[in-house]
Amino acid sequence: MGDEAQRLRGETEAVWATAVSFALGLIGGVSVLGGDSRALTGPHGLALPVAAVAAVVAAAAFAVSTLQHRRTETSGMPRWQATVSTVSESALTLAFAAVTGMGVLLAAEVLASGLQGLRLGAPGGGMLAGVAAAVGGRFAYGAGIRLHTADLAGILFGYLVIGTLFAMATAADARWWEHNFSTLGGGGAWAFNGTLVIAGLLVATVGSYIGRDLHRLLGDAVLGRIARVVVLWATTGAALAAVGLLPLDRLPVPHDVAAFSTLALFTVAAVATALTIPSPPAALVVTTVGVVGLVVVALVLCFGFGLYGVTALEAIVVGLGLLWMATLVRVLAILAPPVPRPSARATLRAR
């Protein structure tokens, strides 16, 4: 079967997955929302149960698609390599649930501001759940068919934006921006803290896929260096998750330690990854030099001239870091073969 025919078949399957996701979301929504009509948001609003239903459906869609289309990727792989792949897929299942749920919550906040006074009963709420599940299910099912590292980087960026916007929309302190982004996680605010935890999981998973691409490109000869790269990205993700698990208002010192550790580890992981790629392409070199230069300029303008606050600086640095990561994974997508590469080593120990 040619590539065009496979893609058309995948699109047909995605359409069916959308229909099934809608039906499951509708049934689940009606079941969960039984009772009186509810507002879109608020303590007993539609948003949270609808988001939960859509998240479960999206996770199931990704799991089914992965089992159906990529279960043979681990064939011939040693146990350690297959385990890394399985753990990565499990982390992505949770991530797709979180992305879908957070997207629904943000959409509900936007709709609530424009549809003030709207209340829906179980049938109307069930339809909303069906639509949300259909969108999330189609996206997750399509990702399960063929998932690239560049796709994960895009998901990470999108999730950070969605989660941060939702945290802003629900922030108790409207003037949080006068301090820094960590203020959004104060007072038990779960939205921003939860966003950082899931983003940390995504960073670690992106690192696992970076290791996969490096192995496809370079093979077992540099397996030790590739393993160190994966560990560095996993540690970076763990540090980012710790930023969310250690709120600034309750644990300021551990929070700051985790935040600075995240920045330092991200830098080390980025350098280690770039050095592992033989003869880094001009696109990656130019982006690296440009990002470093812009970060320095941003620091000088913030602390040297006081043109903007720490919040803006944080947004600039994070955005530039994600820009660099996007370039890295796209370069790897071009260089690395698109097919699985089982390792010839039974263990990670060098022979």
Side-chain angles (χ1 to χ4, degrees):
M1 182 182 295
D3 183 66
E4 181 179 346
Q6 287 183 339
R7 292 172 64 181
L8 287 174
R9 179 181 176 182
E11 187 63 24
T12 301
E13 291 181 9
V15 171
W16 282 110
T18 304
V20 172
S21 296
F22 175 82
L24 292 175
L26 175 62
I27 295 171
V30 171
S31 301
V32 172
L33 298 171
D36 297 332
S37 61
R38 309 188 192 190
L40 283 174
T41 57
H44 303 287
L46 293 167
L48 196 57
V50 167
V53 170
V56 171
V57 172
F62 178 74
V64 170
S65 180
T66 299
L67 290 174
Q68 184 174 354
H69 293 279
R70 295 191 289 125
R71 64 177 181 273
T72 59
E73 281 191 359
T74 57
S75 299
M77 291 183 179
R79 180 176 297 179
W80 67 265
Q81 192 178 16
T83 300
V84 170
S85 178
T86 301
V87 171
S88 298
E89 301 299 344
S90 300
L92 281 178
T93 302
L94 176 60
F96 274 108
V99 171
T100 302
M102 193 64 75
V104 172
L105 292 175
L106 177 60
E109 289 292 333
V110 174
L111 290 174
S113 65
L115 301 173
Q116 296 184 19
L118 175 67
R119 300 182 66 88
L120 295 173
M127 288 293 292
L128 284 180
V131 172
V135 174
R138 181 184 179 89
F139 177 65
Y141 188 90
I145 294 176
R146 184 178 296 178
L147 188 64
H148 302 289
T149 312
D151 299 328
L152 290 183
I155 293 171
L156 172 61
F157 176 78
Y159 180 70
L160 281 172
V161 172
I162 291 171
T164 303
L165 288 176
F166 177 69
M168 291 179 187
T170 57
D173 182 8
R175 302 184 71 87
W176 64 269
W177 54 269
E178 295 180 349
H179 306 284
N180 51 57
F181 274 101
S182 293
T183 308
L184 285 172
W190 62 268
F192 187 71
N193 295 331
T195 296
L196 293 181
V197 172
I198 299 299
L201 179 67
L202 276 170
V203 168
T205 307
V206 170
S208 174
Y209 272 74
I210 288 174
R212 181 200 68 172
D213 290 349
L214 287 173
H215 182 257
R216 289 180 177 180
L217 175 64
L218 304 172
D220 290 343
V222 293
L223 194 55
R225 293 173 61 186
I226 294 173
R228 285 191 289 273
V229 167
V230 173
V231 170
L232 282 170
W233 284 113
T235 309
T236 303
L240 180 57
V243 176
L245 294 172
L246 303 169
L248 179 63
D249 59 330
R250 288 186 292 170
L251 299 165
V253 175
H255 176 92
D256 289 341
V257 170
F260 284 112
S261 297
T262 301
L263 292 176
L265 287 167
F266 184 93
T267 302
V268 174
V271 172
T273 304
L275 292 177
T276 304
I277 301 175
S279 302
L284 184 59
V285 174
V286 171
T287 302
T288 301
V289 173
V291 165
V292 172
L294 288 174
V295 169
V296 172
V297 171
L299 289 170
V300 172
L301 293 178
C302 177
F303 296 112
F305 296 91
L307 296 183
Y308 44 76
V310 175
T311 302
L313 176 65
E314 290 176 335
I316 292 170
V317 171
V318 171
L320 289 173
L322 292 174
L323 172 64
W324 181 89
M325 178 179 280
T327 303
L328 169 70
V329 295
R330 290 183 181 279
V331 166
L332 283 176
I334 295 171
L335 297 177
V339 295
R341 184 171 186 172
S343 173
R345 293 188 182 180
T347 68
L348 278 171
R349 296 178 182 176
R351 292 182 294 183

